[in-house]
Amino acid sequence: MSAPAVATAAEGATRIILVHGTGHGGWCWYRVATLLRAAGHRVDAPDLAASGADARRLRDAPTFEDYTRPLLDALRGLPDGERAVLVGHSFGGMSVALAAEAFPEKVAAAVFVTAFLPDCANPRSHVIEKLALTDWMDSVTDAEHVPPSVFLGPEFLRRKLYQLSPPEDYTLSQSLARVSSYYVADLRGQPPFSEARYGAARKVYVVCEQDRAMVEPYQRAMISGCPVEEVREIAGADHMAMFSAPAELAGHIADVANTYA
């Protein structure tokens, strides 16, 4: 579908919680959050553990649940009867899935923006391990760290993730990017997400067609393995859609917030 304008928040529109990906923080949503708030939407963009401005070090978040806890706490703190639209970017899709598994009654919709979209049949790590990305360029990993760590290199970011994004946003990333983890072993040891909880969440996938890391065919392969309510597309977006196509992405998110109230 074509990108809607950033619609004014409808009466009763749900809260929006924007969830960042690996090595990033809530800061990466600043363009999208500004557009949504200007249209009257209630928006939060928390830093997950050891991310963004969060004071913890990666060793202080040894499990994926520890890493995701700020999002889980945000949902737990919602008033009774209030729900939120969760928007996960990249690895943030895994955090959104965990939140929907833990608090299905508090999730109005789960939006996956060129994000990992786990199914309910395979181990939780399956979609991460199946990603056919072999050239991590100058990224640095440490398998002995607890949890195993990754730092996304500047050339990897520039060529694979930010190639269509404004140069000032790439520069910002070089000041704020942090060491993180994909928690593959931890996720592999967990049972699949359940059909009754995460599986029942209404899901929307936003395909970013110019993504050089989570390439379009892989995005669509995940969608084929996990039914969603809608598939939306941004033709000119690289992996960092919040920078390369902020108005289009904000338009889709606002429309979902109004539609899935």
Side-chain angles (χ1 to χ4, degrees):
M1 65 178 293
S2 60
V6 182
T8 300
E11 184 176 353
T14 50
R15 179 183 301 276
I16 299 167
I17 302 179
L18 306 172
V19 185
H20 63 81
T22 300
H24 289 70
W27 61 265
C28 72
W29 291 103
Y30 80 94
R31 292 183 185 271
V32 169
T34 298
L35 291 168
L36 290 169
R37 288 169 181 149
H41 294 274
R42 295 175 296 156
V43 180
D44 297 314
D47 291 321
L48 300 183
S51 302
D54 186 83
R56 284 166 285 197
R57 304 285 294 275
L58 183 58
R59 64 173 175 264
D60 299 322
T63 71
F64 180 66
E65 185 171 341
D66 293 329
Y67 168 77
T68 303
R69 190 158 307 284
L71 173 61
L72 301 177
D73 288 345
L75 282 182
R76 186 180 291 108
L78 290 178
D80 290 344
E82 183 173 340
R83 301 187 299 164
V85 169
L86 306 184
V87 182
H89 171 251
S90 191
F91 188 60
M94 299 301 299
S95 294
V96 165
L98 180 61
E101 181 77 10
F103 299 105
E105 73 284 358
K106 292 181 177 287
V107 178
V111 182
F112 296 80
V113 181
T114 190
F116 286 118
L117 176 67
D119 59 33
C120 296
N122 292 289
R124 298 182 185 188
S125 62
H126 180 73
V127 287
I128 304 169
E129 295 180 286
K130 285 293 185 180
L131 177 65
L133 178 60
T134 57
D135 186 7
W136 290 84
M137 302 177 65
D138 57 339
S139 300
V140 178
T141 61
D142 182 354
E144 300 304 315
H145 192 277
V146 181
S149 66
V150 59
F151 182 75
L152 302 179
E155 280 301 294
F156 176 80
L157 289 174
R158 186 173 68 85
R159 296 187 184 185
K160 298 285 191 181
L161 273 57
Y162 282 74
Q163 84 274 7
L164 298 179
S165 295
E168 60 268 27
D169 291 320
Y170 169 76
T171 300
L172 183 64
S173 78
Q174 295 309 287
S175 297
L176 299 177
R178 292 182 63 179
V179 173
S180 192
S181 178
Y182 286 108
Y183 295 96
V184 172
D186 181 44
L187 289 165
R188 190 187 298 128
Q190 303 297 321
F193 290 110
S194 69
E195 292 280 1
R197 299 176 74 84
Y198 162 71
R202 296 185 292 181
K203 302 175 185 69
V204 176
Y205 201 98
V206 181
V207 172
C208 297
E209 297 182 359
Q210 304 303 315
D211 192 334
R212 291 181 177 174
M214 190 100 66
V215 294
E216 182 185 353
Y218 189 65
Q219 296 174 58
R220 296 192 184 277
M222 289 188 291
I223 293 166
S224 70
C226 183
V228 300
E229 300 280 334
E230 298 181 62
V231 177
R232 299 175 178 229
E233 300 164 346
I234 304 180
D238 59 17
H239 187 72
M240 303 303 296
M242 63 278 286
F243 295 141
S244 56
E248 291 172 81
L249 180 55
H252 285 301
I253 294 170
D255 191 52
V256 169
N258 285 339
T259 301
Y260 293 85

